[in-house]
Amino acid sequence: MMERSLQAELLDELPAVDPRAVGSRRDLRRINALMGNARLMARAVRGAASQAAPRRIVDLGAGDGTFLLGWVRRMPSLASGSEVLLVDRHDAADAGVVTALSARGFRPRSVQADGLEWLREQPTEAGTWVLANLFLHHFTAESLRALFNALAEKAELCCACEPRRGGWSLAASQMLGLIGANAVTRHDAAVSVRAGFQGEELSALWPADPRWRLREYRAGLFSHLFLAQRT
Ligand SMILES: C[S@@+](CC[C@H](N)C(=O)[O-])C[C@H]1O[C@@H](n2cnc3c(N)ncnc32)[C@H](O)[C@@H]1O
């Protein structure tokens, strides 16, 4: 049993234009492809979208936005014209991603802000979905409780894909040099796995409210998926 532990990640500290950060975001695109996170998250929420497509999609800790674009491509039932917000504390959104989202009929906007502070300031808008890929593991249990309280107030659906904490994921994270990952990525990958989740750890932090249906499960080889849906 690996206890959850948090340690600072290098990518969070580096300016977005630093070549080591640029290289690490490029590595993240390959890691997301290996983990299959866009596919896993699309599969998790596809049923909900066919019943009521979101009108506002928020990606917390969006990074360069490549993950979100991959997710959108797997979600044919999304309504064009929806607002898409890429929220990250760094100005890391890729211009090509923003252009590709516009070309698909969405209204993308990149927001540079702290995810929790930004969310707390948002009005409650019907049809808001919040996604988070490789983001929640940055937070302590106490901060996650605060984030989940805000999410339960502002969103109708929340889906997150995080590193699965355990020996198998840790071993895989330590082999990322084999795919040419840089030192920042190799450091952050192991830190992320140790800060990742298992069991029903995230559900336990969601506010107790019978209107929310929660699911949390092992997904793919290395991922842990959390879905909260207002009924
Ligand atoms: C591991 S990266 C994942 C990026 C992206 N979701 C992806 O899949 O490629 C985590 C991202 O969260 C951002 N981040 C970390 N803490 C944050 C916070 N408190 N508020 C907003 N963004 C944050 C970092 O800048 C980074 O871009």
Side-chain angles (χ1 to χ4, degrees):
M1 182 76 174
M2 188 188 289
E3 290 296 318
R4 181 164 192 250
S5 68
L6 261 72
Q7 217 186 311
E9 293 186 31
L10 302 176
L11 182 60
D12 294 341
E13 312 298 334
L14 290 170
V17 291
D18 185 300
R20 290 165 296 171
V22 173
S24 186
R25 292 196 190 278
R26 193 167 47 231
D27 295 340
L28 271 172
R29 295 203 278 272
R30 282 185 292 164
I31 291 170
N32 271 326
L34 285 171
M35 293 177 82
N37 287 355
R39 175 177 50 82
L40 296 170
M41 233 197 265
R43 188 187 293 163
V45 302
R46 214 172 269 139
S50 62
Q51 287 160 26
R55 277 179 271 162
R56 190 170 187 246
I57 300 161
V58 177
D59 185 5
L60 290 180
D64 66 9
T66 307
F67 158 79
L68 186 67
L69 182 60
W71 177 82
V72 157
R73 285 184 171 138
R74 290 169 172 81
M75 294 288 299
S77 58
L78 293 182
S80 73
S82 305
E83 193 179 9
V84 172
L85 296 160
L86 302 142
V87 182
D88 200 288
R89 62 147 68 121
H90 287 295
D91 181 16
D94 183 284
V97 167
V98 175
T99 305
L101 288 166
S102 299
R104 296 182 85 88
F106 296 103
R107 292 183 293 125
R109 189 155 59 89
S110 152
V111 180
Q112 188 176 358
D114 174 84
L116 175 57
E117 284 173 16
W118 177 85
L119 191 65
R120 279 182 167 151
E121 288 163 8
Q122 295 308 297
T124 303
E125 280 187 34
T128 298
W129 282 23
V130 179
L131 308 178
N133 185 55
L134 306 180
F135 174 69
L136 298 185
H137 69 272
H138 287 83
F139 293 89
T140 61
E142 195 188 346
S143 304
L144 282 171
R145 257 187 226 285
L147 181 68
F148 286 179
N149 279 332
L151 284 169
E153 203 183 303
K154 314 281 180 184
E156 284 180 3
L157 180 145
C158 170
C159 188
C161 208
E162 293 297 320
R164 174 120 198 136
R165 194 173 77 249
W168 166 241
S169 304
L170 187 61
S173 75
Q174 287 163 342
M175 291 196 292
L176 285 172
L178 295 175
I179 62 161
N182 74 12
V184 170
T185 310
R186 296 198 305 275
H187 171 272
D188 287 357
V191 168
S192 303
V193 170
R194 291 195 185 94
F197 303 97
Q198 51 180 238
E200 301 205 329
E201 291 173 340
L202 291 167
S203 305
L205 300 170
W206 193 266
D209 181 338
R211 289 174 303 168
W212 283 90
R213 195 176 66 205
L214 308 181
R215 287 178 67 208
E216 185 169 358
Y217 52 93
R218 177 185 205 120
L221 288 176
F222 312 111
S223 305
H224 184 78
L225 205 134
F226 174 68
L227 175 65
Q229 198 178 348
R230 201 198 297 252
T231 53

